[in-house]
Amino acid sequence: MAPRSGLVLLPDSSGLRDRVTAALLGSDVALWPADRAADATYVLVDLTVPDGEAALRCLNEGRGSQAVLALVDQAVLRRRPATGVPADSLLTVGQIESELGWRLQKARERHALELQSRAQQRSLEALLEFTARYAESTDMDALLHDVTRRLAEMLDIPRASLLLDDGAGSAVVVAASDAPDLKNLRIEMDRYPEVRQCLRTGLPTVVEDVPSHPLLEGMHERVAAAGVRSIAALPLSVQGKVLGVLLVRGSAERPAFSPAEVDFLATVGHATAVALRNARLLESVRGESAREKSARLVAERKAAELERYQAFFAHVSEGIAILDGTGKVLLLNPAGAAMLDVNPAQLEGRHVEDLTGALGAEALTGLLCAVARGEVLRDVDVQARTPSNQHLTLSVSGAPLREGDAAAILSFRDVTEPRRLEYELRRTKEFLEKLVDNTVDAVVAMDMRGRFILFNKGAEALTGYSAQEALARLTADDFFVGEGTVTELLERMRAPEHGGPGRLALIRHEIVTKSGERVPVNMTGSILYENAREVATVGILRDMRDRVQLERKLSDATLRLERSERSAEMIALAGTAAHELNQPLTSVLGYAELLKRKLREDDYAWAKVDIIHKEAERMKEIVRKIGRITRFETKAYVGEARILDLEKASDEDSAPASKG
């Protein structure tokens, strides 16, 4: 079985720890380490070591609730030193084994008596205080709440309440420790059987264990769920008549209410009942005149508070206006008067619309109607005009006010210039949005995670995506062609050689449209910064498909022109070569034919001359074809080499037939 209490040996330098442990065997006390001295029931101070007196002095100065015993030498014990420890709590080292248990029992009894005496003293002091306050106080509501609050603190309970019997089968809560504003809360007796029984019998009703007590049959779970373990209901009785009940509830961590606590609560209940009866009698004697005086005092107090508010409002930079229930001005502070360029005294008693020069009546009326319904409205723009015909925009806030004749409070500030700037900024923003949206080129913006935050109509026309689709699901990786393109573009923007840090000069790139088409674009871009932090990128893209097609056509035309020029040069060269070769070739043919005529066919030279004549004829045919070249056509030769194809390059259809 675990020990219920602990003993701490001080100081740590004591060498008697083992002997004390052995002496405590079989008892309900265990030896605890020194760091648990605050929770221990007993403290044993070894005065036989040098640090013992210092430890005892610290205990006496701390005035803890532990029972203190001291170990001394035999010689010291005979002298009965002034240690502050009772004589029966002093023992020698040799008495540890034989008398420590008995000494602890005596210390426990003495400690219990001391605690009881302290509790009785506190109860007596509290009763004297309550009695004196009941006799002196005129504000019974505040006093009753203060009494319940003090009771909850003294008893360490979550709630103490005062309930009065209304004579109709229910009770009214007039004060509660945890609710200073609670007043006249009606409860049904069926939910509080302990209160009903206390009112019926006029005797204290104590429930020590809520979950098992038969009085709370059917409500065990509800009450236990609220953390209540014990309940005490004490009658507020005077001269045999029960006026109400003092109800206290203890939590699960707290033991049940002791008889001494119940007696104390009963005494407090009786004193409270006497005070309530006297208060009722006093109110009855004073009658109507007293109520009138009270009302006058309340009115004077409210007037004084209003004057205090007026002094406060005089130093507020915003305009303040206090209105009555009909919308008339009761008070206008100097800041508001200066803002509206009016005399505050001239506006008192006039309708609030006079503050705004008859402008903004609709907005002001709507605000006042909402305030009359108990609502609080803030920052309602109202147009106003000063006596000097200056137009203002006022930001007005209104709230209900229940102070005397005052029904509403308005605060307002001049926001004419901020509203003008807002209007200009809004117009500029709208213009820029229209400018961007109607730009022919695609203008896009992305955050630093590659998500689109701007997608103009030019971008929609270029890609086929709508702005909603692009902003919802399109990313930079899906938009640009090529893996790692986004990272590459960011690096180019950050580098100084591509237009400067944060800028990207004109480059050619490709994007992917919604249909999957790869579109070449010319692109410029930049990084947007906020306090030197990169927040977004902007890109302007121009569709280059028409230009690329035009460039392709221009390249083809240039190639054809180059070929045409080369063909013309070749044809001219061929004509020149044919003309220059034709005359010597004619001479060769003539002489060869003359030689063949002078020789017989059986002559040795005739065959050679015949070969010369035939080859000359073939050369003549070649020269004729060269002279008729009209285009540049080639054919394969040796390996990868190509030569002119005379058959395809010459115009054979117009050439005359050759003769041998």
Side-chain angles (χ1 to χ4, degrees):
M1 182 176 178
R4 295 189 298 273
S5 57
L7 178 144
V8 171
L9 177 62
L10 296 178
D12 289 337
S13 58
S14 174
L16 302 174
R17 187 168 302 276
D18 293 339
R19 293 182 60 181
V20 171
T21 301
L24 294 176
L25 289 176
S27 69
D28 61 350
V29 181
L31 183 63
W32 287 359
D35 55 4
R36 297 186 61 186
D39 301 325
T41 306
Y42 311 98
V43 177
L44 179 61
V45 182
D46 187 357
L47 297 180
T48 64
V49 296
D51 298 335
E53 293 185 1
L56 181 60
R57 190 161 50 250
C58 290
L59 285 174
N60 292 334
E61 292 175 356
R63 296 180 180 178
S65 61
Q66 305 95 333
V68 180
L69 297 88
L71 288 171
V72 296
D73 292 330
Q74 183 67 39
V76 175
L77 183 61
R78 285 195 296 269
R79 293 198 306 269
R80 296 185 177 272
T83 59
V85 179
D88 57 1
S89 294
L90 295 175
L91 68 162
T92 64
V93 175
Q95 296 173 326
I96 291 178
E97 289 78 7
S98 60
E99 297 191 18
L100 179 59
W102 179 79
R103 303 280 184 173
L104 290 176
Q105 181 180 356
K106 290 295 183 181
R108 180 186 306 165
E109 294 172 355
R110 184 187 310 105
H111 187 57
L113 291 175
E114 289 178 357
L115 292 179
Q116 182 179 359
S117 176
R118 292 177 190 176
Q120 291 176 348
Q121 182 66 25
R122 286 195 300 269
S123 299
L124 180 60
E125 291 174 356
L127 286 174
L128 291 174
E129 178 187 354
F130 292 157
T131 303
R133 295 196 61 184
Y134 282 146
E136 298 172 356
S137 178
T138 58
D139 188 350
M140 186 58 65
D141 291 338
L143 177 59
L144 293 178
H145 166 69
D146 193 45
V147 169
T148 57
R149 181 184 58 79
R150 288 291 309 278
L151 287 175
E153 291 177 354
M154 290 177 59
L155 300 176
D156 190 22
I157 57 176
R159 189 174 197 184
S161 307
L162 287 171
L163 302 88
L164 296 183
D165 184 8
D166 66 351
S170 59
V172 177
V173 181
V174 295
S177 59
D178 56 347
D181 298 328
L182 181 65
K183 187 176 181 181
N184 298 332
L185 174 64
R186 190 171 301 277
I187 63 172
E188 298 298 329
M189 292 297 188
D190 292 340
R191 296 174 59 85
Y192 295 88
E194 69 276 18
V195 175
R196 180 173 55 196
Q197 179 168 315
C198 183
L199 288 173
R200 181 176 58 83
T201 62
L203 299 174
T205 300
V206 180
V207 179
E208 296 182 351
D209 188 26
V210 166
S212 61
H213 201 282
L215 181 63
L216 300 177
E217 188 69 32
M219 290 182 291
H220 290 151
E221 294 184 1
R222 179 179 64 83
V223 180
V228 178
R229 184 59 182 268
S230 57
I231 300 175
L234 295 308
L236 304 179
S237 60
V238 55
Q239 294 181 347
K241 183 179 180 181
V242 180
L243 304 180
V245 173
L246 169 60
L247 181 65
V248 293
R249 293 185 168 190
S251 63
E253 294 79 13
R254 187 192 187 281
F257 295 103
S258 65
E261 291 174 333
V262 173
D263 291 341
F264 167 68
L265 290 171
T267 306
V268 173
H270 177 68
T272 303
V274 173
L276 288 171
R277 184 200 60 179
N278 293 340
R280 289 179 177 179
L281 291 174
L282 180 61
E283 182 178 356
S284 175
V285 171
R286 288 175 178 173
E288 192 66 28
S289 61
R291 285 193 290 272
E292 292 176 356
K293 181 179 179 181
S294 176
R296 186 177 69 254
L297 291 174
V298 171
E300 291 175 355
R301 185 170 65 252
K302 289 184 176 180
E305 291 176 354
L306 189 60
E307 290 180 359
R308 184 181 47 156
Y309 292 150
Q310 184 175 2
F312 170 73
F313 293 152
H315 296 86
V316 176
S317 59
E318 289 189 355
I320 302 291
I322 307 296
L323 312 179
D324 64 9
T326 63
K328 293 181 180 179
V329 179
L330 297 178
L331 170 67
L332 178 66
N333 73 332
M339 194 181 304
L340 299 172
D341 193 19
V342 296
N343 186 341
Q346 295 176 350
L347 282 175
E348 291 183 5
R350 295 171 61 181
H351 197 270
V352 66
E353 290 185 359
D354 292 336
L355 288 176
T356 61
L359 292 182
E362 183 176 353
L364 191 58
T365 301
L367 185 145
L368 292 177
C369 290
V371 171
R373 293 193 299 268
E375 300 178 15
V376 176
L377 292 187
R378 294 182 174 85
D379 301 327
V380 177
D381 281 2
V382 175
Q383 300 301 316
R385 180 175 57 204
T386 67
S388 60
N389 206 32
Q390 180 184 2
H391 287 258
L392 303 175
T393 300
L394 304 178
S395 180
V396 184
S397 299
L401 184 64
R402 300 292 181 265
E403 292 289 343
D405 295 335
I409 178 171
L410 301 183
S411 64
F412 53 92
R413 49 194 174 89
D414 184 2
V415 293
T416 306
E417 186 62 18
R419 293 296 183 267
R420 186 188 66 80
L421 292 176
E422 288 177 10
Y423 175 72
E424 294 295 334
L425 289 173
R426 187 166 55 252
R427 286 187 56 191
T428 302
K429 177 177 177 290
E430 291 174 355
F431 171 75
L432 292 176
E433 287 178 347
K434 291 179 180 178
L435 180 65
V436 170
D437 212 32
N438 292 281
T439 300
V440 177
D441 292 337
V443 180
V444 298
M446 290 168 277
D447 60 21
M448 300 312 295
R449 288 183 287 182
R451 298 181 302 187
F452 282 88
I453 56 178
L454 174 65
F455 207 80
N456 76 333
K457 292 186 181 300
E460 290 181 340
L462 175 62
T463 64
Y465 289 103
S466 66
Q468 291 78 9
E469 291 175 322
L471 299 182
R473 58 185 178 85
L474 190 61
T475 64
D477 291 329
D478 302 327
F479 188 68
F480 291 103
V481 174
E483 186 178 353
T485 300
V486 177
T487 303
E488 179 186 350
L489 290 175
L490 282 174
E491 291 176 353
R492 282 173 172 262
M493 289 183 188
R494 293 167 179 148
E497 61 267 16
H498 299 289
R503 301 176 65 86
L504 179 64
L506 186 67
I507 64 168
R508 177 72 61 85
H509 218 288
E510 284 187 332
I511 63 169
V512 181
T513 66
K514 185 177 181 179
S515 63
E517 180 185 359
R518 296 171 61 150
V519 177
V521 294
N522 272 353
M523 174 182 171
T524 59
S526 62
I527 298 178
L528 301 182
Y529 295 91
E530 186 176 287
N531 297 328
R533 182 173 63 89
E534 297 177 351
V535 294
T537 59
V538 177
I540 301 176
L541 302 89
R542 174 165 293 180
D543 188 354
M544 298 302 295
R545 284 177 289 191
D546 292 341
R547 182 165 179 174
V548 168
Q549 187 176 2
L550 182 61
E551 289 176 351
R552 189 179 296 114
K553 290 180 179 179
L554 181 60
S555 177
D556 293 343
T558 302
L559 182 59
R560 288 195 299 270
L561 180 59
E562 290 176 353
R563 289 180 177 178
S564 176
E565 291 176 351
R566 185 166 54 184
S567 296
E569 293 174 356
M570 182 272 297
I571 292 170
L573 177 60
T576 302
H579 176 72
E580 295 297 332
L581 291 174
N582 196 46
Q583 290 183 356
L585 189 57
T586 302
S587 299
V588 171
L589 281 172
Y591 283 115
E593 189 172 348
L594 288 174
L595 287 174
K596 284 179 65 177
R597 289 177 181 177
K598 290 182 178 182
L599 296 173
R600 295 189 301 272
E601 290 186 7
D602 56 352
D603 287 341
Y604 169 79
W606 190 91
K608 306 296 190 288
V609 172
D610 183 59
I611 291 173
I612 291 173
H613 184 269
K614 289 180 179 180
E615 292 299 318
E617 284 288 345
R618 193 162 71 88
M619 290 178 63
K620 180 180 179 182
E621 182 63 23
I622 292 172
V623 170
R624 182 184 65 78
K625 289 180 179 181
I626 291 174
R628 294 192 174 276
I629 289 176
T630 59
R631 55 188 176 273
F632 186 74
E633 296 288 346
T634 63
K635 63 181 179 180
Y637 189 49
V638 179
E640 296 181 358
R642 301 187 68 85
I643 60 174
L644 186 67
D645 189 342
L646 291 177
E647 299 295 335
K648 295 181 179 180
S650 60
D651 188 3
E652 291 295 337
D653 294 338
S654 60
S658 59
K659 297 181 179 180

